[in-house]
Amino acid sequence: NLVIIRMLLDNTFIRRIVGFTNHKHAFDLFAPLLFNYYANALNLLCEMNKKLERHFPRSAFACYAFNLGGKVRSYIHTDHLNLPFGWCAITALGTFNPRKGGHLVLWDLKLVVEFPPGSTIFIPSAILRHSNIAIQPGERRLSFVQWTAGGLFRWVDFGFKSAKAFQDEVGKQAAEEANSRRWKEGLNLLPRLSDLTST
């Protein structure tokens, strides 16, 4: 499996997707404060533990999933272990007619979105229920997903300690207050419509 994973990580087209998604492009352009929070957390993790390997040097994301089943389809779910106020990047791949299938369904927003091959979307996957529609017979749909687990941010924010160790150190009430503060600060990292229209 390591040989296959290395081939995927070194693939020119995957590297281009990661490049477009991250630094000085989509994520950084539309949500610079959130992007910086992701990038700083990953930088701190890698500085603290030199054994950690960054798969893509300019990416702010720590985790990647290659869904290569040929007819990749997800059922209604949330990625509850992701950062609650964070984004994950989903890229559709393959050869399919996006008008007849492969749509992205954002259940809480009551939206069904045409999602052609080569498209990338950022969603708060931890709190937004999502799925996709099946494709037509004879077509192929794959996906590439980029995200960072919420626990990694908590580990960094708590001084490189587990939630339990942090709570043992500061007490239950202080730990709850820290979590509440993290949530409020996280919401302030999200872009506002005024941010996009003022430039």
Side-chain angles (χ1 to χ4, degrees):
N1 288 344
L2 288 176
V3 172
I4 295 169
I5 291 169
R6 189 74 263 163
M7 286 173 59
L8 289 167
L9 295 174
D10 291 339
N11 182 280
T12 299
F13 302 107
I14 294 297
R15 296 185 83 77
R16 287 180 181 168
I17 291 169
V18 171
F20 165 76
T21 307
N22 280 275
H23 187 66
K24 302 296 182 195
H25 291 90
F27 193 6
D28 192 13
L29 182 65
F30 287 100
L33 297 176
L34 189 61
F35 174 85
N36 286 334
Y37 181 65
Y38 272 67
N40 290 337
L42 187 56
N43 288 339
L44 289 169
L45 282 167
C46 291
E47 286 170 16
M48 185 209 171
N49 186 344
K50 301 296 185 190
K51 292 181 181 178
L52 294 176
E53 177 186 347
R54 293 186 77 147
H55 299 301
F56 302 102
R58 297 180 71 187
S59 176
F61 294 106
C63 307
Y64 309 90
F66 297 93
N67 301 305
L68 307 175
K71 290 188 179 281
V72 172
R73 180 175 178 200
S74 66
Y75 295 97
I76 303 171
H77 70 287
T78 58
D79 301 307
H80 65 279
L81 295 179
N82 288 3
L83 184 66
F85 54 82
W87 287 358
C88 82
I90 305 167
T91 302
L93 304 168
T95 51
F96 61 91
N97 184 338
R99 294 186 176 180
K100 295 187 175 181
H103 296 64
L104 177 68
V105 183
L106 303 173
W107 293 87
D108 301 302
L109 302 179
K110 297 181 171 60
L111 288 175
V112 178
V113 182
E114 280 187 17
F115 198 48
S119 298
T120 297
I121 191 169
F122 292 87
I123 64 169
S125 63
I127 60 174
L128 193 64
R129 291 180 302 146
H130 56 285
S131 65
N132 67 283
I133 295 172
I135 56 174
Q136 301 297 301
E139 295 180 333
R140 295 184 70 225
R141 183 187 182 279
L142 309 98
S143 70
F144 175 57
V145 183
Q146 304 170 68
W147 80 98
T148 300
L152 293 178
F153 295 100
R154 187 174 58 239
W155 177 266
V156 172
D157 291 345
F158 286 173
F160 303 102
K161 298 179 185 77
S162 68
K164 183 182 183 320
F166 180 74
Q167 181 174 308
D168 290 347
E169 182 180 303
V170 301
K172 185 176 181 181
Q173 183 175 347
E176 288 173 359
E177 288 170 0
N179 274 322
S180 178
R181 192 168 46 253
R182 288 178 68 238
W183 172 251
K184 289 175 185 169
E185 290 169 357
L187 292 179
N188 286 327
L189 299 175
L190 296 172
R192 306 291 189 268
L193 184 57
S194 59
D195 297 337
L196 302 176
T197 56
S198 64
T199 55

